[in-house]
Amino acid sequence: MKSSFDPVLSRKIEKAGIIAVVTIESVRDAVPLAKALLAGGIEVIELTLRTSAALDALRAIRAEVPEMMVGAGTILTSAQLRAVIDAGAAFGVAPGLNRRIVEMAREESFSFSPGVLTPTEIELAVEAGCRLLKFFPAEPVGGLAYLGTVLVPFAHLGVKFIPLGGLNLASTAAYISNPNVAAIGGSWLAPKAYIKAGRWQDISILASEATSLIEMTRLQRNGV
């Protein structure tokens, strides 16, 4: 079965190694935030659909910061999926596995990663053609130790994960070193308080710290 995620986008996300998971309350913050993250080396955003400003923020980033790959997260309904596709999102992410949403995304040829946690959810996602999966909530359930155990029956299928939930800079190196992790999701990169206060330079610093650590970790892993 054809993968539910465009392979070109999948490779770009894996190359980036990290996705900034952001929640925007005001559209005016969208472009400055995207530029701040980009200045720190972050090239992929998952913009959560938790506010009324989310879709307009997505459109604004696409229009004014075209270098940024912007996807939509917290997609819970078919109406939300239709809205993010119409808004031009590069990809979609959900916290859980809704087969109806996965099937709709496939029908629309829209790259989509459902959230999984249990062997049953991974099996259902694989059956639906998904190979890039959100692992959520990662840290509260045991992190890499849990992932390594639950992945055993599926590792031969080329499944890769985007862990999210409880991660931070301190845990970044361990996750990125794992060959089953395509990229990590980082909500700590753009704290709500920083966005509200317009602390764009501080966000750039957080982004730079994360991207530098990922680059260094990969060099060490490759023996460079």
Side-chain angles (χ1 to χ4, degrees):
M1 181 182 290
K2 182 181 177 183
S3 173
S4 68
F5 211 100
D6 181 87
V8 174
L9 293 184
S10 183
R11 286 193 294 271
K12 286 182 178 180
I13 288 174
E14 190 160 2
K15 181 180 178 182
I18 188 167
I19 300 171
V21 180
V22 303
T23 301
I24 294 179
E25 301 285 348
S26 173
V27 177
R28 69 173 180 271
D29 294 327
V31 171
L33 174 60
K35 288 182 176 179
L37 289 167
L38 196 62
I42 299 290
E43 299 178 345
V44 187
I45 288 176
E46 176 195 326
L47 181 58
T48 69
L49 300 183
R50 301 176 195 168
T51 70
S52 59
L55 290 174
D56 285 338
L58 192 155
R59 295 186 186 96
I61 294 171
R62 285 195 67 247
E64 299 188 47
V65 195
E67 308 96 317
M68 180 66 75
M69 181 194 299
V70 57
T74 325
I75 298 175
L76 305 176
T77 68
S78 56
Q80 286 179 318
L81 181 62
R82 167 49 55 198
V84 301
I85 291 173
D86 291 346
F91 61 91
V93 182
L97 174 63
N98 182 324
R99 288 292 298 271
R100 183 166 55 88
I101 301 300
V102 172
E103 290 168 4
M104 180 179 170
R106 177 180 296 283
E107 290 171 0
E108 296 288 338
S109 297
F110 180 66
S111 292
F112 185 78
S113 286
V116 298
L117 186 59
T118 67
T120 298
E121 291 167 345
I122 296 173
E123 186 173 338
L124 289 171
V126 167
E127 182 188 32
C130 303
R131 294 296 183 273
L132 183 61
L133 309 176
K134 177 177 179 177
F135 172 45
F136 176 82
E139 283 293 286
V141 301
L144 286 171
Y146 175 87
L147 180 60
T149 301
V150 78
L151 178 61
V152 171
F154 311 101
H156 66 290
L157 300 176
V159 178
K160 293 211 170 184
F161 295 85
I162 302 173
L164 177 66
L167 279 69
N168 53 38
L169 184 64
S171 58
T172 294
Y175 275 93
I176 288 297
S177 296
N178 190 296
N180 301 310
V181 171
I184 63 172
S187 56
W188 83 91
L189 295 166
K192 290 183 180 180
Y194 284 21
I195 296 174
K196 186 175 182 179
R199 295 173 58 179
W200 310 125
Q201 183 61 37
D202 290 331
I203 290 175
S204 292
I205 291 171
L206 292 176
S208 180
E209 289 174 345
T211 53
S212 296
L213 180 56
I214 289 172
E215 182 179 3
M216 182 177 66
T217 301
R218 285 175 165 173
L219 288 173
Q220 291 174 344
R221 185 180 66 187
N222 296 328
V224 177

